[in-house]
Amino acid sequence: MSGKVRDYSKLAADILKAVGGEENVIGATRCATRLRLVLKRSNPKAKEQVASMPGVITVVENSGQFQVVIGQHVGEVFEEFSNLVNIETSDVENENKGTIVNRIIATMSAVFAPFIYILAAAGILQGGLILINLLFNSFAETGTYQVLSFISWSPFTFLPIFIAITASKHFKTNTYIAVACCAALVSPTWAEMAAQIAEGTNISFLGLALTQTTYTSSVLPPLFLVWILSYLERFLNKRMNEVIRPLFVPLLCMVIMVPLTIGLIGPITTMGANGIANGYNFLAENAPALAGAIIGSFWQVIVIFGVHWGITPMVLANFDLYGRDSFQAYQTIAVIAQVGAVLGVVLKTKSQETRKVGISAGITGIFGITEPAIYGVTLRFKKPFIFGCISGAIGAIAASFFHPYYFAYAGLPGPLTIVNGINADYPMSIWGILLGAVIAILLPIILIQLFGYGEETAKEADSNNTKETQGQSEDFVSQVNEEIIQAPLIGKVVPLSEVPDEVFSSGMMGEGFAIVPSDNKVYGPFDGTVVMVAPTKHAIGLRSKTGVELLVHIGLETVKLDGIPFGLNVKEGDEFKKGDLLIEFDQEFIQNQGLQTITPVIVTNSAAYEEVIMEDIKESAFHQKMMTVVK
């Protein structure tokens, strides 16, 4: 299920309860689309429970994390979750750290995700300036350009300070001490001293010769600084008198950590980051087609498991060392291939809801965010995801013959950042990226039109190819591969897309319709079992004998009514027949509370079926056929 979540506090509380409560949560971070939790104990049932919550797209357990994929509203949910869990003071020593690889990936995610949109915005601004300079050669000489240029570079220049803020929260150390230490790394005075060392001047600290390494735009030096600082600060806090602690802990931390970093930690970690970057560059320079094929085909697979943040230090090292990077060029093509796969589904599908979800996911993909496209469309139907990966590989291989590069960092590589590949010294770069992008967006569309997207075997269940009797109004005979869903309410039928709540209208929860009821009863839409009744009685989950799962949500925001206007005739586990009275409700009471009675009816396991075919009906009636679910 997915969509906009209005009651963020409730969703956060529900997630916390499902994963075992505050005592089971070691850490909580977020990225562009995911709430990432580190748990002491994993509950096998928690994944399915959380994934079924309204507003949650899916749940991924990987890299030692319980990753709740929410989408664009993850920030609001994370804020509410943070208010429920005291992460800052949790016992680090009790943390279930997991493997080294998992810890590294989790750290990169926690550090970079909170400010990735800042870097993305700065990268888009740089791309815009590149375009303007192409159109107006004299623009680079203007004060306007100079101001916009230094604005775009500022987040990268002072990247260690951003890292200090997020890393201090991840490693649970004092943020202000971390910022003070990392600010020293980007001090203009140190830059001047490093320049003097580069020119041959010997400068030492307590006899230790300093190197010419500078730390603007650096990643690993500030990251390691804060990590070691967290141990140093805890050591000092435990052993220092509380009267002098507020002053002398920051003092000792700064005078120890800053020289230690510029003298030892910085040079070593910088060499490590540069070594990794050079290793990738060796592959990209000597076997560019292989590098392109690997990134183009597997990048989105990496995104599924949420481990894509681990590549960030290498990419930033490339920009710092050479002012360019080929990884993001290939990465962009992989992203565009998933957008192309979504467009292919939109063009192919006969389902209005699938088309609506696809358009929404495609728009977010334009901005370089592919999780909605992956979980909402391409991976859901499997074929589009595979076609996207194949197209990404082919597009990246084609681009590799032009030696494509990005010359400005893109926080979220995608269609909008293609201009970052423009550079006068590498004129063929942009042409390679454009060629790869064209292949990546067109090829999956063609493949899906030719081979379908996973629903192509579904046939419309109209009057010409069903076995139902003409004029029969009280019963329907389903074909072997079909399930007939009757109207659970009587009233005006409204497309799900017009429900004024994005949790339902987005289609992420599944396909279906909505009814504005003209009476006050909910009837059994098929023969089945009650599998869920909301504690506040406003929603009921039903499962047919063939496995179709249906949610009937009476009204919008009616959870606030604490069950007052609802009367249940069934309970969880009860079996029922088509037409049985399940719930009675007081419409007038609901409306008097200022709430709407429009009732979404959703097949929550739509992804398990080839097609959900809606009837073109304006008014529902008792035993009225509303839709056909095709296996």
Side-chain angles (χ1 to χ4, degrees), residues 353 485-490 492-497 499 504-505 509-517 521-526 540 542 548-556 597-604 606 612 614 620 626-627 629:
E353 291 302 320
I485 310 297
Q486 297 184 3
L489 298 97
I490 299 172
K492 178 183 177 182
V493 180
V494 178
L496 196 61
S497 60
V499 175
F504 303 109
S505 64
M509 289 182 63
E511 300 184 50
F513 55 90
I515 294 177
V516 180
K521 296 178 176 63
V522 176
Y523 303 99
F526 42 58
I540 187 169
L542 311 173
V548 175
E549 296 179 359
L550 198 73
L551 173 69
V552 181
H553 192 287
I554 306 170
L556 302 180
T597 58
I598 184 171
T599 300
V601 180
I602 299 172
V603 179
T604 55
S606 301
V612 178
M614 305 295 170
S620 64
M626 295 301 299
M627 57 184 172
V629 180

Side-chain angles (χ1 to χ4, degrees), residues 73-396:
H73 299 286
V74 66
E76 292 91 332
V77 179
F78 173 72
E79 183 177 352
E80 295 293 341
F81 193 91
S82 299
N83 293 333
L84 299 174
V85 181
N86 190 4
I87 299 299
E88 292 294 328
T89 58
S90 63
D91 189 354
V92 178
E93 294 179 0
N94 290 333
E95 182 174 341
N96 181 15
K97 297 180 181 295
T99 67
I100 292 177
V101 173
N102 286 349
R103 290 159 59 188
I104 291 173
I105 292 171
T107 297
M108 292 303 171
S109 171
V111 169
F112 290 102
F115 59 80
I116 192 64
Y117 283 115
I118 304 299
L119 300 185
I124 289 175
L125 178 55
Q126 291 177 17
L129 293 176
I130 291 173
L131 277 181
I132 296 174
N133 284 331
L134 285 176
L135 298 174
F136 306 99
N137 293 331
S138 60
F139 179 69
E141 307 300 325
T142 65
T144 301
Y145 169 81
Q146 293 174 355
V147 170
L148 293 176
S149 180
F150 83 70
I151 290 174
S152 71
W153 283 106
S154 292
F156 301 101
T157 301
F158 298 101
L159 184 60
I161 295 178
F162 285 91
I163 292 174
I165 296 170
T166 55
S168 64
K169 295 179 180 179
H170 179 69
F171 293 122
K172 302 175 180 62
T173 190
N174 187 294
T175 298
Y176 299 102
I177 298 176
V179 168
C181 293
C182 289
L185 298 183
V186 293
S187 167
T189 302
W190 170 248
E192 294 173 1
M193 294 172 64
Q196 294 174 18
I197 295 172
E199 294 173 356
T201 303
N202 292 322
I203 301 178
S204 63
F205 178 81
L206 297 178
L208 176 65
L210 302 179
T211 68
Q212 64 191 46
T213 307
T214 57
Y215 301 101
T216 55
S217 304
S218 65
V219 172
L220 294 185
L223 189 58
F224 274 81
L225 183 156
V226 178
W227 176 47
I228 296 173
L229 170 66
S230 67
Y231 290 98
L232 175 62
E233 184 193 2
R234 285 194 292 273
F235 175 85
L236 295 174
N237 280 331
K238 289 179 181 179
R239 290 162 176 78
M240 194 168 291
N241 186 282
E242 62 182 10
V243 175
I244 62 173
R245 187 185 301 157
L247 175 62
F248 282 92
V249 168
L251 173 63
L252 291 175
C253 285
M254 287 190 292
V255 299
I256 292 174
M257 289 309 307
V258 175
L260 182 62
T261 300
I262 63 176
L264 186 63
I265 297 173
I268 292 176
T269 56
T270 298
M271 288 176 58
N274 294 347
I276 295 173
N278 288 332
Y280 163 75
N281 293 334
F282 178 83
L283 175 65
E285 294 294 332
N286 292 278
L290 177 60
I294 293 173
I295 300 168
S297 58
F298 291 108
W299 177 250
Q300 295 302 303
V301 177
I302 294 173
V303 171
I304 290 175
F305 295 103
V307 298
H308 47 298
W309 297 103
I311 204 68
T312 304
M314 184 202 76
V315 172
L316 288 170
N318 266 340
F319 282 107
D320 187 43
L321 283 172
Y322 310 110
R324 66 182 190 273
D325 171 69
S326 63
F327 193 98
Q328 288 204 317
Y330 297 131
Q331 184 182 346
T332 294
I333 294 170
V335 169
I336 292 174
Q338 288 300 314
V339 176
V342 171
L343 291 177
V345 173
V346 169
L347 294 173
K348 182 74 171 178
T349 185
K350 296 178 181 179
S351 167
Q352 183 179 9
E353 291 302 320
T354 300
R355 184 176 293 111
K356 179 178 176 61
V357 174
I359 292 173
S360 175
I363 291 173
T364 59
I366 291 174
F367 294 93
I369 302 173
T370 53
E371 278 91 342
I374 292 172
Y375 295 113
V377 181
T378 62
L379 193 61
R380 171 186 170 190
F381 298 120
K382 296 182 179 63
K383 276 188 180 180
F385 184 78
I386 295 172
F387 290 156
C389 291
I390 293 173
S391 302
I394 295 174

Side-chain angles (χ1 to χ4, degrees), residues 537-589:
K537 307 176 186 177
H538 70 290
I540 187 169
L542 311 173
R543 181 184 293 121
S544 74
K545 291 185 180 299
T546 62
V548 175
E549 296 179 359
L550 198 73
L551 173 69
V552 181
H553 192 287
I554 306 170
L556 302 180
E557 304 293 340
T558 45
V559 66
K560 302 175 182 177
L561 302 180
D562 294 326
I564 294 174
F566 305 103
L568 295 176
N569 291 339
V570 291
K571 62 182 184 299
E572 288 186 14
D574 284 355
E575 294 186 354
F576 60 89
K577 297 291 186 181
K578 275 185 294 189
D580 285 355
L581 180 61
L582 306 181
I583 301 177
E584 295 182 271
F585 56 94
D586 188 338
Q587 285 195 71
E588 184 177 355
F589 180 88

